[in-house]
Amino acid sequence: MMNSMSVPSKRSTLERKLDKLILTLFGGLFFMCLIGAIGSGVFINRKYYYLGLFEDVEQQFNPSNRFVVSILTMFTLITLYSTIIPISLYVSIEMIKFIQCAQFINKDLRMYHAETNTPALARTSNLNEELGQVEYIFSDKTGTLTRNLMEFFKCSIGGVSYGVGITEIERGQAQREGRALNEIQKSDTVVYEKGFNFDDDRIMRGAWRNERDPEIFKEFFRCLALCHTVLPEGDESPEKIVYQAASPDEAALVTAAKHFGFFFYRRTPTTVQLRESHVEKMGNIQDVSYEILNVLEFNSTRKRQSVVCRYPNGRLVLYCKGADNVIYERLAGTNQDIKRLTREHLEQFGSSGLRTLCLAYRDLTIDTYENWNEKFVQAKSSLRDREKKLDEVAEMIEKDLILIGSTAIEDKLQEGVPDCIDTLSRAGIKIWVLTGDKMETAINIAYACNLINNDMKQLIITSETDAIREAEEKGDPVEISRVIRDSVSHDLKRCLEEAQQDLHIFGQKLALVIDGKCLMYALDPSFRVDLLKLSLNCSSVVCCRVSPLQKAQVTSLVKKGARRITLSIGDGANDVSMIQAAHVGVGISGLEGMQAVMASDFAIAQFRFLKDLLLVHGRWSYIRLCKVITYFFYKNLTFTLTQFWFTFHTGFSGQRFYDDWFQSLYNVIFTALPVIILGLFDKDVSASLAKKYPQLYKEGIRNTYFKWAVVGVWAFFAFYQSLIFYYFTTTASENGHNSSGKIFGLWDVSTMAFTCVVITVNLRLLMACNSITRWHHLSISGSILAWFVFIFIYSGVMTPNDRQENVYFTIYVLMSTFYFYLTLLLVPIVALFGDFLYLGLQRWFFPYNYQIVQEIHRDEVDSISRTEFLEIGNHLTPDEARSYAIAQLPREKSKHTGFAFDSPGYESFFASQAGVYVPQKAWDVARRASVRSSKRTSQR
Amino acid sequence: MSPQADPAPEGDAGVVERRKKSKKPKYSRFTQQELPACKPLLTPTIVISTFSLIGILFIPIGLTSLSASDIVVEIVYRYDTECIPQQSQNDKLAFIQSSETNKICSTTLTVPKNMKAPVYIYYELDNFYQNHRRYVKSRNDKQLRSKAYEQETTNCAPEATTANGSPIVPCGLIAWSLFNDTYSFAIQNKVIEVNKKNIAWQSDKNNKFGSDVYPKNFQQGGLIGGAKLNESIPLSEQEDLIVWMRTAALPQFRKLYGRIETDLAANEQISVTIENNYNTYSFEGEKKLVLSTTSWIGGKNDFLGVAYLAVGSLCLFLALAFIVLYLLKPRTLGDPSYLSWNKNPDGHQ
């Protein structure tokens, strides 16, 4: 596959930063060892005769060769201080991440899609915390934002708007403005069918006959039923017929006509046959055959489609449907009222995110038609520039049209998409739409998803300009390349200037729309910087007509150029390269093929689950891992530093402060479990609050919790605590400690110090927790208890092995003194005093956002969502039931659809009708776009 | 599934079938991350009350400890320089290493306060790295424990065996460098008994040093490190050795020498006879003699008391300071205006 790339292995940014921290720790280790080594070289001296430094002493302590002493001590110290490197950290992180994936993400009921029976799936456990830092989302359109389901939703006929449905975007707007929408209860008779989601008692079931001007309704319905290129398939009954259409829009329109009582059931080479109901009088059904004289097909410059047909009674009519601006240019001068009203409706529909088409007709006299038809036949049979000539001929008859009304088709967004996008953008995430569709379609969807609104300034860089088109007509590849290049360069500069001005002077939000052909040049190294600068200034970016490879290029542009964390989401094979290129790839699973899912790191069933995946799981994972890492850093640093201070008092000899077993088990048993519990259960705010305050997510984008400053604070307190541990325990131990006057040895003091370290470090974890479950209690008290159990047993027995019984009975000796209890109370409290003061002051004077949110909701009990989840499984709401039913229907193969006629699948559809095999793949169109331009410009 | 959603005529069987294949995760509080949890907030109130609590708790403990430490009467006498005759002051090392010199040295100490028996006698050494790695490991616990392991001298080099290869018991540098100054006390020419029994921890005596292990070949080499041991007394009875071999944590340390089991009255003059044998002069170490009583807290050590008192008062002070701060500049809990996005509504960054 030309668009495939080698599969990258992904590591999270946090882990890469962790590597830096580990490197720093290695640096610290080296530094500490160096100090110790130099000290040992200076210290060693024959005057300490009790060390037995006579003639044949081993090299490590040979005073006559201090350099060798230093070098060898260095190695000793490296093993002694090696605890500073948290080796068990990686294991713990892996465990935590694995459980987060397998238990939390995969089993989250909030991300379970009942209709397709798909739970979320984490395909890698490497990237959980990356989800908490995403700043850019690159989204495919079809199948990701939309359901790829066109539904006839509203219409405007003769200046009156019909249809009672409410689109997602209207709902979202109302929610944002706090308006209540009076949702009309749908009557029971509402028809459930794919492509038709319309209800209005004024026109359904023949009721249109009672409207003011029934004639115009007939024109409207006939236009829908006649002016198309749909082929009916299967049984000729309204229930079983299947419409084969180039685009789902067309099928939706014909389906709509069927439900309005104009059932298109058969097409012959020259006729279209309709079964019309209620035309003459209510309840009357008759079959009518219309003769189709000419079809003026759709193409992207015409943006309209017409048929000329003859009624059985001989009436000649041209029906035309197309984009509003195209139709309005060609209307007859009469009936301004309808034009004005329809225009208003069109704008309404448009802002509701619906895809609109205008319908118009023109009665033809026989003479006019005959004259025109001659020219048409001529044009059709011409050998050169046929398409151009046909367009010109069509132009001659498509004029003086009479406006009937308009249709509004909902390119059905997936449930909750606008709301999700709104939430994500409030979370500081920028969403880019990368689609193979046409610019109009892409902009339309961007409006529908609330990515672009009328307050934004649109910056458009397109190859659909006259200059470029002219150059393309000449067909000189070098010239085309030069023209596009110049135009892109010019546009980029212009947009950048405007952007600077608008953004900084007027504070206006910007939206960038760019098409694939321009993108190809804009991604050129010489423009890349400008493009990046421009796009980073924009709140939303829409790239249309892009090839899969370009999707990946844009992703890497941001990933590498801006060094921000990127996420790609898509559902089809054309998104694979983009999914692989981004830091995190998300596949939409469920209905489509598996390629995207196989390439992805996470698979979810619906776009809206991204909200849970990022704001809840990602955020938590990020915060948890930051805590785990910094805590690990702290506990090992504290432990090692106490050892380090001791080195200064041992003549830099590298004597251990702690028994070998203490040191080995410190990370494995005495402090291991609580930090894993922290990594699994810590929750600063509940899931619902995390979604209610999406701004909290910004802390992850800014990497607030794993900055060097944060690490520095932990390091400072580790330093402070280690000093307390070492100096308090040793200083306090100098004299006899009970009335027997007996004196402690080294191992008594070290056991004391270690006890304090274990207790303090575990309690410090408790202070770092935002929510404390019984697992926290269990693991922390368990760890402390484990230490005491261990030391009771370990110091209570003598082994027959040949080893030093250093700690024999130390704990019992200690416990027979008041020193033990007084120190045990004093040292942890003094050690934690600093942290406590810091945490208290920090919350008091410089609170994090999450802390404020915690405080706002401090009295609320976490709602347990159990009942809510049980509901979902058993009862589907009618809407859900409907979409479930639709999901079960066999799906069409063509995936890319534009607005109404603007379907890329169009060409291949007719080709296949003509018996020419054209492979129709999801990415076909996008690729063709890029291949075509590359062929012409011989860029590759 | 609602009947509307399931138009297929397969009926109940179909529903059951689908239900069986459902991939819907099961609800559990664990997987939904809804485990019951308490959510402590470090509010100013809690900070203030914690500090007050610590203050209230620590100050009495500190006072008690200090007073306990205050009862203890301690006499410290540094003798390493004074016990060298005037003519040898310039070459202390030669003096101490020579076997001919008279190392007896006498002095009188005045008892500052009444000292109730038992009065503990300590020696204190300085600059003596009993915690040096080479030193700490230079012993063999197995050999010390049982006669059967007499031959075990691992780790003991260079004091493992004699020149002809027979093992030294007890082997190793620690035993070899055993402290050998002795002290005797008299009041008005009446000798005060020094009890040297039971000065080591019981666990060491009972388990670490065998009652059937007798010193052998000890201090027979060319270099004499310190004290000699009576070869007829088992190690478990050699309490000076046992005390010495519980190596100290820091280079400055005290070790228990013995006990005086008579009360010493205030202003009594104790004449002390010191046999100044031990060489600390080569490494400029100090030697001190300490007489001390004890209380429940042990010897004289103000550190714990002072630390408790200091931390306690600091906490009380902070609590007060925070109360004042809280009154002057109260911080409403959960005020949404503190949220960063409410602070600068225009800025998005």
Side-chain angles (χ1 to χ4, degrees):
Chain A
M1 258 195 277
M2 61 183 283
N3 286 307
S4 69
M5 297 158 87
S6 61
V7 181
S9 75
K10 294 182 184 176
R11 286 191 74 209
S12 78
T13 323
L14 195 67
E15 268 186 31
R16 251 174 273 147
K17 189 137 191 226
L18 172 62
D19 293 346
K20 278 187 203 152
L21 179 66
I22 300 287
L23 270 182
T24 316
L25 282 177
F26 269 110
L29 171 65
F30 179 77
F31 181 67
M32 282 160 64
C33 292
L34 195 68
I35 292 180
I38 293 172
S40 73
V42 173
F43 174 85
I44 204 76
N45 197 319
R46 287 225 161 77
K47 73 183 183 185
Y48 301 106
Y49 68 89
Y50 53 88
L51 299 179
L53 306 170
F54 318 130
E55 298 78 37
D56 53 347
V57 65
E58 67 260 39
Q59 284 305 315
Q60 171 142 28
F61 297 109
N62 191 350
S64 42
N65 198 345
R66 288 165 188 273
F67 181 70
V68 175
V69 171
S70 291
I71 298 292
L72 291 175
T73 307
M74 183 104 184
F75 288 111
T76 310
L77 291 179
I78 287 175
T79 59
L80 191 63
Y81 299 150
S82 63
T83 46
I84 201 173
I85 309 297
I87 299 169
S88 56
L89 171 62
Y90 284 97
V91 183
S92 306
I93 288 183
E94 286 307 315
M95 265 171 77
I96 290 168
K97 284 184 176 180
F98 176 74
I99 297 176
Q100 279 176 349
C101 285
Q103 295 296 322
F104 295 161
I105 294 182
N106 290 358
K107 293 194 176 168
D108 191 348
L109 284 165
R110 288 185 198 84
M111 294 201 288
Y112 169 73
H113 194 230
E115 288 155 30
T116 53
N117 188 22
T118 323
L121 175 68
R123 298 189 67 251
T124 166
S125 63
N126 269 344
L127 297 169
N128 296 350
E129 71 277 16
E130 197 87 331
L131 290 173
Q133 296 189 277
V134 171
E135 188 168 2
Y136 286 89
I137 292 181
F138 299 94
S139 174
D140 177 38
K141 192 208 78 161
T142 318
T144 306
L145 295 174
T146 66
R147 298 182 201 191
N148 194 23
L149 193 67
M150 303 299 166
E151 292 189 327
F152 190 88
F153 198 70
K154 283 186 179 182
C155 59
S156 157
I157 306 172
V160 184
S161 168
Y162 297 96
V164 295
I166 294 165
T167 60
E168 280 282 343
I169 183 164
E170 284 174 316
R171 201 167 289 146
Q173 267 165 2
Q175 258 171 20
R176 271 191 297 285
E177 290 160 19
R179 261 184 304 125
L181 277 178
N182 46 335
E183 203 135 347
I184 295 154
Q185 277 300 313
K186 285 183 183 166
S187 50
D188 299 335
T189 48
V190 168
V191 196
Y192 286 123
E193 194 185 333
K194 188 181 173 188
F196 189 71
N197 181 20
F198 179 88
D199 188 34
D200 198 322
D201 290 333
R202 286 175 292 174
I203 51 176
M204 292 300 285
R205 290 165 295 279
W208 53 270
R209 288 174 59 85
N210 302 327
E211 288 291 294
R212 208 176 35 165
D213 183 9
E215 282 309 309
I216 200 163
F217 281 87
K218 285 187 205 165
E219 297 296 350
F220 185 87
F221 298 144
R222 283 192 182 124
C223 181
L224 289 184
L226 294 173
C227 179
H228 56 76
T229 51
V230 173
L231 295 174
E233 247 178 29
D235 208 18
E236 288 176 0
S237 71
E239 290 80 27
K240 291 195 181 153
I241 199 151
V242 176
Y243 292 122
Q244 282 295 339
S247 82
D249 297 75
E250 288 226 280
L253 292 177
V254 177
T255 310
K258 176 176 86 180
H259 290 291
F260 292 135
F262 290 75
F263 171 41
F264 159 62
Y265 67 94
R266 191 182 297 162
R267 182 190 282 277
T268 68
T270 54
T271 62
V272 164
Q273 298 185 7
L274 305 185
R275 186 165 299 151
E276 298 182 347
S277 322
H278 317 302
V279 176
E280 300 304 323
K281 61 178 208 230
M282 282 298 282
N284 185 3
I285 296 175
Q286 60 189 35
D287 287 0
V288 187
S289 173
Y290 295 89
E291 195 179 338
I292 302 295
L293 300 172
N294 304 87
V295 178
L296 304 174
E297 278 175 22
F298 168 86
N299 68 36
S300 58
T301 35
R302 279 162 46 77
K303 292 183 181 170
R304 63 190 182 273
Q305 179 189 40
S306 305
V307 293
V308 181
C309 62
R310 182 159 29 213
Y311 278 44
N313 62 12
R315 180 188 172 206
L316 271 176
V317 193
L318 171 108
Y319 284 114
C320 180
K321 64 178 180 185
D324 51 348
N325 54 342
V326 181
I327 299 288
Y328 266 72
E329 280 170 16
R330 292 169 176 77
L331 290 183
T334 53
N335 228 338
Q336 293 301 332
D337 268 1
I338 292 187
K339 280 194 210 167
R340 186 177 47 78
L341 287 167
T342 309
R343 165 65 66 195
E344 276 171 21
H345 293 152
L346 281 168
E347 279 166 12
Q348 239 170 48
F349 295 156
S351 67
S352 311
L354 298 170
R355 298 147 66 93
T356 57
L357 278 179
C358 281
L359 308 189
Y361 75 99
R362 179 185 176 194
D363 278 313
L364 300 171
T365 60
I366 300 206
D367 290 346
T368 333
Y369 174 71
E370 292 292 340
N371 278 341
W372 174 80
N373 196 30
E374 263 173 46
K375 289 175 196 151
F376 181 74
V377 173
Q378 235 170 37
K380 212 172 177 182
S381 54
S382 70
L383 294 173
R384 291 184 58 238
D385 290 336
R386 183 169 53 191
E387 279 177 26
K388 203 174 163 194
K389 281 181 185 161
L390 274 174
D391 285 2
E392 279 163 13
V393 173
E395 200 70 52
M396 294 162 78
I397 196 160
E398 288 167 329
K399 63 181 184 187
D400 298 330
L401 302 173
I402 297 165
L403 186 66
I404 312 171
S406 71
T407 60
I409 291 174
E410 187 178 21
D411 182 359
K412 197 125 172 86
L413 287 179
Q414 284 193 9
E415 201 185 318
V417 166
D419 170 56
C420 175
I421 286 183
D422 180 57
T423 311
L424 291 179
S425 57
R426 279 198 291 147
I429 301 172
K430 293 168 190 91
I431 297 160
W432 293 23
V433 175
L434 310 179
T435 172
D437 287 335
K438 282 278 193 173
M439 187 167 277
E440 287 83 356
T441 321
I443 293 178
N444 192 313
I445 283 300
Y447 265 99
C449 305
N450 231 348
L451 275 173
I452 302 180
N453 55 46
N454 288 328
D455 299 335
M456 287 182 177
K457 178 167 182 161
Q458 287 180 34
L459 305 170
I460 297 180
I461 300 178
T462 172
S463 57
E464 301 277 313
T465 60
D466 293 337
I468 295 174
R469 213 171 285 147
E470 205 172 286
E472 276 177 343
E473 272 161 24
K474 283 182 198 147
D476 177 10
V478 182
E479 179 67 11
I480 294 173
S481 154
R482 192 190 61 76
V483 170
I484 299 181
R485 203 183 159 84
D486 288 352
S487 128
V488 167
S489 147
H490 174 257
D491 279 352
L492 267 177
K493 290 228 167 60
R494 176 180 55 84
C495 289
L496 203 56
E497 268 167 35
E498 282 179 37
Q500 302 286 0
Q501 210 175 25
D502 290 335
L503 196 67
H504 298 301
I505 300 171
F506 307 117
Q508 197 179 17
K509 284 194 176 182
L510 303 168
L512 173 70
V513 182
I514 186 166
D515 75 358
K517 222 182 274 178
C518 294
L519 199 58
M520 193 169 75
Y521 292 92
L523 284 170
D524 191 89
S526 48
F527 301 133
R528 200 178 276 172
V529 182
D530 284 344
L531 178 68
L532 189 66
K533 226 189 277 173
L534 176 62
S535 46
L536 293 185
N537 276 327
C538 294
S539 323
S540 35
V541 176
V542 176
C543 302
C544 37
R545 278 287 191 200
V546 290
S547 67
L549 192 65
Q550 282 179 323
K551 287 183 178 183
Q553 283 173 337
V554 172
T555 311
S556 354
L557 177 74
V558 176
K559 180 181 171 182
K560 301 207 175 99
R563 297 193 169 276
R564 305 291 166 81
I565 298 183
T566 55
L567 178 146
S568 290
I569 178 165
D571 70 320
N574 56 337
D575 304 316
V576 167
S577 54
M578 165 171 94
I579 285 173
Q580 286 175 347
H583 287 100
V584 188
V586 177
I588 298 285
S589 59
L591 298 166
E592 301 293 334
M594 289 300 284
Q595 277 124 314
V597 172
M598 296 309 282
S600 69
D601 304 305
F602 297 91
I604 50 178
Q606 293 272 298
F607 184 82
R608 77 186 128 105
F609 293 157
L610 213 49
K611 195 160 81 174
D612 281 284
L613 193 65
L614 296 181
L615 298 190
V616 179
H617 289 282
R619 186 167 171 281
W620 279 348
S621 288
Y622 165 70
I623 293 179
R624 286 167 184 170
L625 279 176
C626 287
K627 274 193 181 167
V628 168
I629 290 170
T630 46
Y631 176 77
F632 251 101
F633 166 75
Y634 147 81
K635 86 177 161 103
N636 283 24
L637 190 63
T638 309
F639 183 72
T640 312
L641 281 178
T642 54
Q643 174 71 66
F644 182 59
W645 308 134
F646 182 61
T647 305
F648 285 90
H649 287 148
T650 62
F652 303 96
S653 59
Q655 171 58 31
R656 289 179 183 282
F657 189 38
Y658 305 112
D659 185 81
D660 291 1
W661 281 89
F662 296 3
Q663 185 158 347
S664 321
L665 296 181
Y666 177 72
N667 273 327
V668 183
I669 292 180
F670 307 135
T671 60
L673 202 56
V675 69
I676 291 177
I677 296 293
L678 171 84
L680 291 179
F681 296 123
D682 193 52
K683 237 173 26 169
D684 56 345
V685 295
S686 68
S688 53
L689 289 179
K691 285 185 279 185
K692 189 175 168 190
Y693 297 95
Q695 292 92 335
L696 291 177
Y697 188 81
K698 285 181 183 165
E699 286 163 357
I701 296 177
R702 293 193 212 113
N703 199 9
T704 314
Y705 302 118
F706 195 50
K707 286 192 290 207
W708 287 111
V710 177
V711 176
V713 168
W714 278 100
F716 172 77
F717 285 113
F719 189 82
Y720 162 78
Q721 292 191 2
S722 66
L723 283 175
I724 298 288
F725 292 138
Y726 179 67
Y727 284 103
F728 271 48
T729 47
T730 52
T731 314
S733 75
E734 267 167 11
N735 292 2
H737 286 286
N738 64 9
S739 45
S740 75
K742 290 168 190 170
I743 296 282
F744 291 137
L746 165 61
W747 304 107
D748 305 293
V749 177
S750 81
T751 306
M752 182 74 241
F754 192 80
T755 310
C756 290
V757 171
V758 168
I759 289 175
T760 309
V761 161
N762 277 307
L763 289 181
R764 179 66 186 86
L765 183 101
L766 210 56
M767 283 171 66
C769 290
N770 281 305
S771 61
I772 299 169
T773 66
R774 61 167 185 272
W775 293 98
H776 289 82
H777 293 301
L778 270 178
S779 62
I780 288 173
S781 51
S783 296
I784 295 176
L785 204 67
W787 156 247
F788 279 107
V789 169
F790 167 79
I791 189 66
F792 283 146
I793 295 170
Y794 181 64
S795 73
V797 296
M798 280 230 192
T799 51
N801 297 328
D802 186 20
R803 61 181 298 278
Q804 292 194 14
E805 305 290 353
N806 294 326
V807 288
Y808 179 70
F809 241 66
T810 49
I811 190 71
Y812 301 103
V813 165
L814 278 170
M815 287 178 82
S816 68
T817 63
F818 277 104
Y819 161 78
F820 178 75
Y821 305 101
L822 286 175
T823 313
L824 203 59
L825 180 65
L826 177 72
V827 171
I829 288 183
V830 175
L832 293 175
F833 174 82
D835 296 77
F836 186 77
L837 188 64
Y838 171 76
L839 291 179
L841 290 178
Q842 180 267 320
R843 183 186 272 271
W844 195 338
F845 295 106
F846 311 101
Y848 285 118
N849 287 325
Y850 81 85
Q851 293 176 324
I852 300 291
V853 172
Q854 281 177 341
E855 287 166 12
I856 296 175
H857 299 274
R858 64 186 177 280
D859 297 325
E860 287 167 25
V861 182
D862 260 7
S863 57
I864 301 297
S865 45
R866 177 194 287 261
T867 44
E868 164 199 336
F869 286 130
L870 290 177
E871 294 282 307
I872 292 174
N874 298 334
H875 309 285
L876 295 173
T877 62
D879 259 355
E880 282 170 336
R882 180 164 176 279
S883 50
Y884 178 79
I886 288 170
Q888 300 297 313
L889 291 171
R891 293 180 63 84
E892 270 164 57
K893 292 211 178 69
S894 88
K895 281 174 195 139
H896 275 275
T897 52
F899 89 97
F901 294 95
D902 199 1
S903 167
Y906 213 79
E907 296 165 42
S908 60
F909 171 75
F910 282 103
S912 68
Q913 295 304 317
V916 182
Y917 175 70
V918 177
Q920 179 64 47
K921 299 225 173 96
W923 64 86
D924 209 50
V925 177
R927 187 173 64 188
R928 214 177 300 139
S930 67
V931 169
R932 193 184 288 156
S933 52
S934 68
K935 250 191 245 158
R936 284 186 195 165
T937 55
S938 46
Q939 278 287 298
R940 285 190 214 154
Chain B
M1 301 288 156
S2 79
Q4 268 172 324
D6 191 8
E10 54 206 353
D12 284 347
V15 174
V16 171
E17 179 72 8
R18 191 169 298 140
R19 179 99 19 100
K20 227 179 251 172
K21 273 192 280 180
S22 171
K23 293 181 198 145
K24 182 178 176 181
K26 282 210 182 62
Y27 176 88
S28 84
R29 288 185 147 193
F30 172 67
T31 56
Q32 302 309 313
Q33 311 197 51
E34 287 174 348
L35 290 170
C38 72
K39 294 171 185 154
L41 294 184
L42 206 57
T43 57
T45 328
I46 290 183
V47 173
I48 290 170
S49 38
T50 310
F51 278 138
S52 319
L53 193 74
I54 294 176
I56 291 166
L57 190 68
F58 271 29
I59 289 180
I61 297 179
L63 288 175
T64 323
S65 309
L66 269 185
S67 69
S69 170
D70 202 44
I71 305 170
V72 175
V73 186
E74 197 178 70
I75 307 169
V76 181
Y77 173 60
R78 180 178 168 186
Y79 64 89
D80 56 308
T81 320
E82 284 168 38
C83 282
I84 303 284
Q86 206 60 45
Q87 65 275 18
S88 302
Q89 280 294 346
N90 292 330
D91 195 0
K92 296 172 192 161
L93 197 56
F95 171 82
I96 203 81
Q97 280 175 339
S98 159
S99 52
E100 268 98 63
T101 47
N102 176 19
K103 300 200 176 69
I104 304 293
C105 141
S106 303
T107 188
T108 43
L109 299 174
T110 314
V111 179
K113 279 186 199 165
N114 278 331
M115 292 172 90
K116 288 205 115 185
V119 176
Y120 293 92
I121 306 160
Y122 298 95
Y123 52 91
E124 184 174 322
L125 298 182
D126 184 29
N127 208 12
F128 192 105
Y129 288 85
Q130 262 207 321
N131 57 12
H132 195 278
R133 186 156 65 97
R134 185 174 163 83
Y135 190 81
V136 171
K137 71 171 183 194
S138 186
R139 63 193 282 166
N140 192 307
D141 282 351
K142 215 170 178 180
Q143 187 202 46
L144 297 174
R145 207 155 67 209
S146 147
K147 190 174 175 60
Y149 296 110
E150 205 177 79
Q151 302 293 328
E152 288 279 356
T153 56
T154 335
N155 290 334
C156 282
E159 290 301 324
T161 53
T162 55
N164 59 20
S166 51
I168 299 172
V169 184
C171 71
L173 288 170
I174 308 181
W176 175 75
S177 60
L178 176 61
F179 186 73
N180 60 355
D181 285 4
T182 59
Y183 314 110
S184 51
F185 304 89
I187 297 175
Q188 294 158 346
N189 295 327
K190 196 170 141 241
V191 173
I192 306 171
E193 277 300 315
V194 174
N195 184 356
K196 289 179 69 79
K197 288 274 168 236
N198 201 17
I199 54 174
W201 294 100
Q202 206 58 40
S203 57
D204 283 358
K205 271 170 72 178
N206 292 351
N207 301 65
K208 288 183 98 168
F209 293 84
S211 53
D212 56 348
V213 186
Y214 293 88
K216 210 172 170 185
N217 303 326
F218 191 68
Q219 300 291 26
Q220 308 280 312
L223 283 164
I224 306 298
K228 295 197 161 71
L229 293 175
N230 186 338
E231 299 208 348
S232 60
I233 302 173
L235 291 188
S236 61
E237 301 301 317
Q238 308 258 14
E239 291 203 39
D240 278 328
L241 177 76
I242 297 174
V243 166
W244 183 253
M245 290 192 73
R246 197 172 185 102
T247 49
L250 296 177
Q252 183 189 8
F253 59 88
R254 279 182 190 182
K255 285 196 183 288
L256 190 55
Y257 178 82
R259 270 192 313 277
I260 295 172
E261 286 176 329
T262 48
D263 291 353
L264 302 177
N267 300 320
E268 259 182 328
Q269 301 285 317
I270 313 171
S271 50
V272 186
T273 313
I274 299 166
E275 202 177 316
N276 183 19
N277 295 321
Y278 200 68
N279 175 14
T280 57
Y281 300 97
S282 59
F283 53 87
E284 297 105 33
E286 295 174 7
K287 286 198 277 193
K288 284 174 192 156
L289 170 66
V290 180
L291 296 179
S292 170
T293 58
T294 56
S295 65
W296 58 268
I297 202 174
K300 192 162 194 72
N301 191 343
D302 290 346
F303 180 79
L304 278 176
V306 170
Y308 266 106
L309 212 54
V311 173
S313 2
L314 182 62
C315 285
L316 271 191
F317 169 76
L318 281 175
L320 283 175
F322 282 171
I323 288 172
V324 172
L325 206 61
Y326 191 67
L327 293 176
L328 288 180
K329 191 175 175 260
R331 147 116 144 68
T332 2
L333 271 190
D335 183 351
S337 66
Y338 279 98
L339 292 167
S340 68
W341 57 89
N342 288 338
K343 277 184 195 157
N344 49 345
D346 299 326
H348 290 278
Q349 294 308 310

